[in-house]
Amino acid sequence: YLQALRQAGVPYAVEGDRSYYRRREVLEAAALVRAVLDPADQLALFTWLRSDVVGVPDAALVRVWQAGLAAVASEVRSPHEACLGRVREIVDAVAARLPDDVLGLAELSGWRHSLPEAIATVASLRQAFERGTAAEFVERLRSATMIEATAAARFLGAYRLANLDRFFRTLLDAVERAGCDHQAVLRALRHAVAEGTDAREGTPRGEAADAVRVLTVHRAKGLDFRHVYLLQTHKGTSEGRLAAAEAEEHRD
């Protein structure tokens, strides 16, 4: 049913959906924070570079990785460091060797500019964490990357924004608690992702919440709707199916 709604372009919200930490926008935001606070976390950097915000295609990302980009990027601590020149050299060299027939590559041609800029932004965010307050750091994360603007432009953008807003509020609390301790923030973030797989998604407010609401009969108790559709009523209850199965066994 959800796939049909997606294909028809109909906004929807699954009430009680507990897959918050599996949403792409949340995973990418978490990867960004990990890449900023832990320069050695290559998986986090890889995830962020192939995100919607940066948009590096896989065909290019694999090649720049093989050319040593991860090692160079881990050394960048300032957006003005000379090693950023090495990042651009790697990117230009890979871009010049990429085949022209890679499917979809033409639509992502701007990656050779967005990738070095993303590395420089990560470096500036590392400085922001060291020099500013928790609130300033989180605000810098949001404004420098335009992650929320990108999420808003995608399908169900209002719900993606609600998820990101929740993520950044949770991050702010973690940074305030940890102070300047990188590892404490990373532990809190990794624990949330590992232990919070059943957390509920954020929900937009006001007109942005105008969508088909998908929920169980139990969760619908006490709520009023102009239109209600009951799905899968033909399947019956689990008790009925079990009774039918037992009767079939007795006949055998």
Short mmCIF file of all heavy atoms in Angstrom, two decimals, residues 63-87:
data_model
loop_
_atom_site.label_atom_id
_atom_site.label_comp_id
_atom_site.label_asym_id
_atom_site.label_seq_id
_atom_site.Cartn_x
_atom_site.Cartn_y
_atom_site.Cartn_z
N ARG A 63 36.53 5.59 -7.17
CA ARG A 63 37.84 5.92 -7.77
C ARG A 63 38.62 6.93 -6.93
O ARG A 63 39.84 6.81 -6.80
CB ARG A 63 37.63 6.43 -9.20
CG ARG A 63 37.23 5.34 -10.18
CD ARG A 63 36.82 5.92 -11.53
NE ARG A 63 36.63 4.91 -12.57
CZ ARG A 63 35.55 4.18 -12.70
NH1 ARG A 63 34.54 4.34 -11.86
NH2 ARG A 63 35.46 3.28 -13.66
N VAL A 64 37.95 7.92 -6.37
CA VAL A 64 38.69 8.88 -5.54
C VAL A 64 39.15 8.22 -4.25
O VAL A 64 40.20 8.58 -3.69
CB VAL A 64 37.85 10.14 -5.22
CG1 VAL A 64 37.54 10.92 -6.48
CG2 VAL A 64 36.57 9.79 -4.47
N TRP A 65 38.39 7.22 -3.80
CA TRP A 65 38.81 6.49 -2.61
C TRP A 65 40.06 5.69 -2.91
O TRP A 65 41.00 5.66 -2.11
CB TRP A 65 37.67 5.56 -2.15
CG TRP A 65 37.43 5.61 -0.67
CD1 TRP A 65 37.74 4.67 0.26
CD2 TRP A 65 36.82 6.69 0.04
NE1 TRP A 65 37.36 5.08 1.50
CE2 TRP A 65 36.79 6.31 1.41
CE3 TRP A 65 36.29 7.92 -0.33
CZ2 TRP A 65 36.25 7.14 2.39
CZ3 TRP A 65 35.75 8.74 0.64
CH2 TRP A 65 35.74 8.36 1.98
N GLN A 66 40.07 5.06 -4.06
CA GLN A 66 41.25 4.29 -4.46
C GLN A 66 42.46 5.19 -4.67
O GLN A 66 43.61 4.74 -4.51
CB GLN A 66 40.94 3.52 -5.75
CG GLN A 66 39.90 2.42 -5.58
CD GLN A 66 39.46 1.82 -6.90
OE1 GLN A 66 39.62 2.43 -7.96
NE2 GLN A 66 38.89 0.62 -6.85
N ALA A 67 42.21 6.45 -4.99
CA ALA A 67 43.31 7.40 -5.21
C ALA A 67 43.82 8.01 -3.91
O ALA A 67 44.73 8.84 -3.93
CB ALA A 67 42.85 8.51 -6.15
N GLY A 68 43.24 7.60 -2.77
CA GLY A 68 43.75 8.05 -1.48
C GLY A 68 43.05 9.25 -0.89
O GLY A 68 43.58 9.91 0.01
N LEU A 69 41.83 9.54 -1.33
CA LEU A 69 41.13 10.71 -0.81
C LEU A 69 40.88 10.63 0.69
O LEU A 69 41.04 11.63 1.40
CB LEU A 69 39.78 10.87 -1.53
CG LEU A 69 38.91 12.01 -1.00
CD1 LEU A 69 39.46 13.35 -1.47
CD2 LEU A 69 37.46 11.86 -1.44
N ALA A 70 40.51 9.46 1.19
CA ALA A 70 40.16 9.33 2.61
C ALA A 70 41.33 9.73 3.50
O ALA A 70 41.15 10.42 4.50
CB ALA A 70 39.72 7.90 2.90
N ALA A 71 42.53 9.29 3.14
CA ALA A 71 43.71 9.60 3.95
C ALA A 71 43.99 11.10 3.95
O ALA A 71 44.32 11.70 4.99
CB ALA A 71 44.92 8.83 3.44
N VAL A 72 43.86 11.73 2.79
CA VAL A 72 44.10 13.17 2.70
C VAL A 72 43.03 13.93 3.48
O VAL A 72 43.33 14.87 4.23
CB VAL A 72 44.11 13.62 1.23
CG1 VAL A 72 44.28 15.13 1.13
CG2 VAL A 72 45.22 12.92 0.46
N ALA A 73 41.77 13.54 3.33
CA ALA A 73 40.67 14.23 3.99
C ALA A 73 40.78 14.14 5.51
O ALA A 73 40.40 15.08 6.22
CB ALA A 73 39.34 13.67 3.53
N SER A 74 41.32 13.04 6.02
CA SER A 74 41.44 12.88 7.47
C SER A 74 42.43 13.86 8.08
O SER A 74 42.41 14.11 9.29
CB SER A 74 41.86 11.44 7.81
OG SER A 74 43.18 11.19 7.35
N GLU A 75 43.31 14.42 7.26
CA GLU A 75 44.31 15.36 7.75
C GLU A 75 43.84 16.81 7.73
O GLU A 75 44.51 17.69 8.27
CB GLU A 75 45.59 15.23 6.91
CG GLU A 75 46.23 13.84 6.95
CD GLU A 75 47.38 13.73 5.98
OE1 GLU A 75 47.67 14.73 5.29
OE2 GLU A 75 48.00 12.64 5.91
N VAL A 76 42.71 17.07 7.11
CA VAL A 76 42.23 18.44 6.96
C VAL A 76 41.60 18.90 8.28
O VAL A 76 40.64 18.32 8.76
CB VAL A 76 41.20 18.56 5.83
CG1 VAL A 76 40.71 19.99 5.69
CG2 VAL A 76 41.80 18.08 4.51
N ARG A 77 42.15 19.93 8.85
CA ARG A 77 41.62 20.48 10.10
C ARG A 77 41.13 21.91 9.94
O ARG A 77 40.53 22.48 10.84
CB ARG A 77 42.71 20.45 11.19
CG ARG A 77 43.16 19.06 11.58
CD ARG A 77 42.03 18.27 12.25
NE ARG A 77 42.50 16.99 12.77
CZ ARG A 77 42.61 15.89 12.05
NH1 ARG A 77 42.30 15.91 10.76
NH2 ARG A 77 43.03 14.76 12.58
N SER A 78 41.41 22.50 8.77
CA SER A 78 41.01 23.88 8.52
C SER A 78 40.59 24.00 7.05
O SER A 78 41.19 23.35 6.19
CB SER A 78 42.17 24.84 8.81
OG SER A 78 41.94 26.11 8.24
N PRO A 79 39.59 24.83 6.77
CA PRO A 79 39.16 25.00 5.37
C PRO A 79 40.17 25.73 4.52
O PRO A 79 39.98 25.87 3.31
CB PRO A 79 37.87 25.80 5.51
CG PRO A 79 37.99 26.51 6.81
CD PRO A 79 38.76 25.57 7.71
N HIS A 80 41.28 26.18 5.13
CA HIS A 80 42.29 26.93 4.38
C HIS A 80 43.61 26.17 4.28
O HIS A 80 44.61 26.75 3.83
CB HIS A 80 42.52 28.28 5.06
CG HIS A 80 41.27 29.07 5.28
ND1 HIS A 80 40.51 29.56 4.25
CD2 HIS A 80 40.64 29.41 6.43
CE1 HIS A 80 39.46 30.21 4.75
NE2 HIS A 80 39.51 30.12 6.04
N GLU A 81 43.62 24.92 4.65
CA GLU A 81 44.87 24.17 4.64
C GLU A 81 45.30 23.80 3.22
O GLU A 81 44.48 23.63 2.32
CB GLU A 81 44.74 22.89 5.48
CG GLU A 81 44.69 23.18 6.98
CD GLU A 81 44.72 21.90 7.79
OE1 GLU A 81 44.96 20.84 7.21
OE2 GLU A 81 44.50 21.98 9.01
N ALA A 82 46.60 23.65 3.06
CA ALA A 82 47.16 23.34 1.75
C ALA A 82 46.74 21.96 1.26
O ALA A 82 46.65 21.72 0.05
CB ALA A 82 48.69 23.41 1.82
N CYS A 83 46.44 21.03 2.18
CA CYS A 83 46.09 19.67 1.75
C CYS A 83 44.76 19.64 1.00
O CYS A 83 44.46 18.66 0.32
CB CYS A 83 46.07 18.71 2.92
SG CYS A 83 45.06 19.21 4.31
N LEU A 84 43.98 20.70 1.11
CA LEU A 84 42.76 20.76 0.31
C LEU A 84 43.10 20.83 -1.18
O LEU A 84 42.31 20.40 -2.02
CB LEU A 84 41.91 21.96 0.71
CG LEU A 84 41.00 21.76 1.93
CD1 LEU A 84 40.34 23.07 2.32
CD2 LEU A 84 39.95 20.70 1.64
N GLY A 85 44.26 21.38 -1.49
CA GLY A 85 44.72 21.39 -2.87
C GLY A 85 44.93 19.98 -3.38
O GLY A 85 44.65 19.68 -4.55
N ARG A 86 45.41 19.10 -2.50
CA ARG A 86 45.60 17.70 -2.88
C ARG A 86 44.25 17.03 -3.14
O ARG A 86 44.12 16.20 -4.04
CB ARG A 86 46.36 16.97 -1.76
CG ARG A 86 46.54 15.48 -1.97
CD ARG A 86 47.28 15.18 -3.25
NE ARG A 86 47.43 13.74 -3.46
CZ ARG A 86 47.50 13.18 -4.65
NH1 ARG A 86 47.45 13.92 -5.75
NH2 ARG A 86 47.63 11.88 -4.76
N VAL A 87 43.23 17.41 -2.36
CA VAL A 87 41.87 16.88 -2.59
C VAL A 87 41.41 17.25 -3.99
O VAL A 87 40.89 16.40 -4.73
CB VAL A 87 40.89 17.42 -1.53
CG1 VAL A 87 39.45 17.06 -1.90
CG2 VAL A 87 41.23 16.88 -0.15
#
